[in-house]
Amino acid sequence: MDNNIEILYIDDEYNNLVGFKAALRMQYNIHIASNTTDAENILMTNPNIRIIFCDQKMPGENGIDFFSRIKKEYPRPIRILITAYADMDTVIDSINRGHIFRFIRKPWEEAEVISCIEEANKFFVTNSLLETRNMELQKAYEELDKFAYSVSHDLRDPLSGVLGAIRIALDFKSVEQVHEILFLMKASIVKLEDYINSLRDYYLLRRGELNLSKIDFNLLFEDILDFYKVYTQNSGIDFNIKVDQSKTFINDKSILELILHNLVSNAIKYQKIDSHDKRINLSVETHNGDARILVSDNGIGIPKEAIQDIFRLFFRASDQAEGMGFGLYNVKTAIQKLKGKIEVESEIDNGSTFIVTIPSK
Ligand code: ADP
């Protein structure tokens, strides 16, 4: 028995209401109502009600009419009718039409009510699980659809680029001409490599368990700084890091790296090309067991109307740099996996700040 199970009992006879509550209140969380209007108010304010018992014979609206009326608005709770023998034809018809899950005879006995609750609860739990699985399946189908589309564009385009370049190069006589075309081929191959890296991240995030270790943010940030050093120096970007870590922080290092690489590479990609003052700041503070990481840039910024979409798979808001719209989707999935959150502040032409909060494990 589980006293988290919330039950609504509707009966116009006060003694029955009191008897039901008195008998079952220790095992379950019981709500009672003496008419269907009150019952509806209770349903409205208690979304976790799993099982509804309703007496068939009540002045005004009877039990079956009530159940068939609320079925659309409250489809999840399991509906159980309490009735006398005399109503049997109506009851069978109602079960057949799916308005009720079961009925119990009046006067009810405690043991029968309890077995009915347990059975209804099992049905409810199975249904909820099925609903969750269906939602996951729906999401997986949608992603598959996007993948099929993206493979036909994002993988085919760079491949066609390389093939085209090879065909042209075959007719070249001088090494200089071949050299020139190699640059074009390189750009296409880098694009392919990015795509494959993002795919690797996508599958890394689907791996079940976390690989936990103590995180030294100084080391982690130094590695990121080193990784992008050649690029930031060549592009004149002033890249600063700041670490304020007073507490031990435990988490999955590969997933943190994935988040940081995606955010920092975007901060680099979306700089204002002609600016002489390009800046990126990467900082972290540990506080109350959380790490609050900020990645900010003074680049091109994100259009207001696009901000809510940037975490969607394959969504892109700018053509300034090569990209597939994969990065921030992976960032969001990674942060969800670590039970953290991400916020964005951005202004066109003034830059963007991504604020990531992650709890220590
Ligand atoms: P990609 O960079 O491959 O397009 P992302 O998922 O990493 O894909 O980012 C989605 C979109 O969000 C980008 O196309 C870009 O328009 C926007 N964006 C992300 N980060 C920044 C940033 N730091 N500055 C400006 N725009 C950004």
Side-chain angles (χ1 to χ4, degrees):
M1 284 174 214
D2 175 354
N3 47 11
N4 287 324
I5 301 177
E6 283 193 47
I7 297 169
L8 171 61
Y9 181 87
I10 312 153
D11 196 323
D12 62 316
E13 286 172 53
Y14 181 73
N15 287 343
N16 287 345
L17 288 177
V18 174
F20 191 90
K21 188 154 183 163
L24 300 164
R25 77 192 159 80
M26 299 301 275
Q27 297 102 303
Y28 308 106
N29 185 352
I30 311 277
H31 303 264
I32 49 174
S34 60
N35 57 63
T36 56
T37 313
D38 287 355
E40 244 184 308
N41 286 335
I42 294 175
L43 280 173
M44 208 159 23
T45 45
N46 295 277
N48 294 326
I49 288 177
R50 287 191 186 183
I51 302 165
I52 309 172
F53 284 87
C54 186
D55 187 25
Q56 163 67 352
K57 279 219 159 57
M58 286 192 297
E61 194 174 30
N62 71 34
I64 291 178
D65 287 347
F66 171 66
F67 280 152
S68 64
R69 185 167 63 78
I70 61 154
K71 199 174 139 191
K72 204 158 175 211
E73 195 166 350
Y74 300 99
R76 300 188 79 222
I78 308 296
R79 299 173 292 274
I80 296 166
L81 194 74
I82 303 174
T83 186
Y85 273 118
D87 308 313
M88 215 40 83
D89 282 349
T90 337
V91 172
I92 291 168
D93 182 47
S94 198
I95 292 181
N96 288 343
R97 286 194 287 141
H99 295 155
I100 59 174
F101 171 71
R102 246 188 83 163
F103 74 93
I104 52 172
R105 284 187 203 106
K106 214 173 175 182
W108 46 263
E109 283 183 14
E110 191 178 322
E112 193 189 355
V113 171
I114 290 176
S115 99
C116 189
I117 291 174
E118 295 302 315
E119 203 183 309
N121 186 50
K122 266 189 218 149
F123 190 72
F124 180 92
V125 171
T126 314
N127 268 355
S128 308
L129 219 75
L130 209 65
E131 229 171 75
T132 315
R133 292 278 179 275
N134 275 344
M135 267 156 58
E136 285 169 0
L137 210 61
Q138 182 65 29
K139 190 169 170 245
Y141 275 136
E142 280 165 15
E143 283 183 10
L144 202 65
D145 238 23
K146 288 181 183 170
F147 265 115
Y149 179 83
S150 132
V151 164
S152 64
H153 287 76
D154 298 326
L155 280 185
R156 216 193 55 184
D157 291 354
L159 265 181
S160 309
V162 175
L163 267 176
I166 289 174
R167 280 194 198 107
I168 296 171
L170 284 174
D171 291 334
F172 286 164
K173 302 281 178 282
S174 77
V175 176
E176 286 75 31
Q177 280 177 308
V178 173
H179 204 249
E180 229 170 79
I181 210 108
L182 280 178
F183 273 104
L184 288 179
M185 289 165 71
K186 187 181 164 210
S188 292
I189 287 169
V190 165
K191 217 172 157 187
L192 276 179
E193 193 190 25
D194 277 355
Y195 192 89
I196 287 160
N197 285 342
S198 300
L199 262 187
R200 183 205 53 205
D201 291 347
Y202 179 88
Y203 286 106
L204 167 84
L205 292 168
R206 264 147 190 76
R207 193 190 61 193
E209 71 293 350
L210 297 175
N211 192 0
L212 298 178
S213 64
K214 274 189 191 168
I215 305 293
D216 181 337
F217 278 107
N218 269 310
L219 286 180
L220 190 62
F221 281 15
E222 287 290 345
D223 282 349
I224 300 270
L225 194 69
D226 273 356
F227 187 90
Y228 292 101
K229 201 174 218 154
V230 175
Y231 195 87
T232 48
Q233 279 175 357
N234 283 342
S235 324
I237 299 174
D238 183 17
F239 185 3
N240 289 300
I241 54 174
K242 191 170 161 225
V243 175
D244 177 359
Q245 180 175 17
S246 49
K247 295 265 159 45
T248 306
F249 187 80
I250 295 176
N251 221 304
D252 188 312
K253 186 162 171 261
S254 320
I255 298 186
L256 285 175
E257 280 173 342
L258 181 159
I259 295 169
L260 293 173
H261 274 291
N262 276 295
L263 294 179
V264 170
S265 65
N266 277 348
I268 295 172
K269 276 185 345 194
Y270 299 109
Q271 284 290 333
K272 283 179 272 188
I273 295 168
D274 297 326
S275 168
H276 295 293
D277 172 30
K278 299 176 184 165
R279 273 174 282 128
I280 297 175
N281 289 313
L282 170 63
S283 67
V284 64
E285 247 176 51
T286 55
H287 184 65
N288 282 346
D290 285 349
R292 191 166 183 268
I293 302 169
L294 263 72
V295 184
S296 66
D297 62 70
N298 61 344
I300 60 172
I302 304 165
K304 229 191 192 107
E305 64 280 6
I307 287 193
Q308 81 232 37
D309 292 321
I310 57 176
F311 294 101
R312 282 174 36 206
L313 187 58
F314 300 125
F315 178 87
R316 306 201 64 216
S318 161
D319 288 328
Q320 166 163 311
E322 294 287 359
M324 316 279 172
F326 215 144
L328 288 183
Y329 174 83
N330 278 341
V331 166
K332 194 181 120 203
T333 313
I335 290 170
Q336 277 170 348
K337 192 163 175 155
L338 303 183
K339 304 210 165 31
K341 61 172 184 174
I342 182 161
E343 293 151 279
V344 192
E345 287 163 9
S346 186
E347 206 181 310
I348 281 288
D349 272 345
N350 269 335
S352 312
T353 301
F354 287 81
I355 306 152
V356 177
T357 313
I358 295 171
S360 180
K361 295 287 163 198

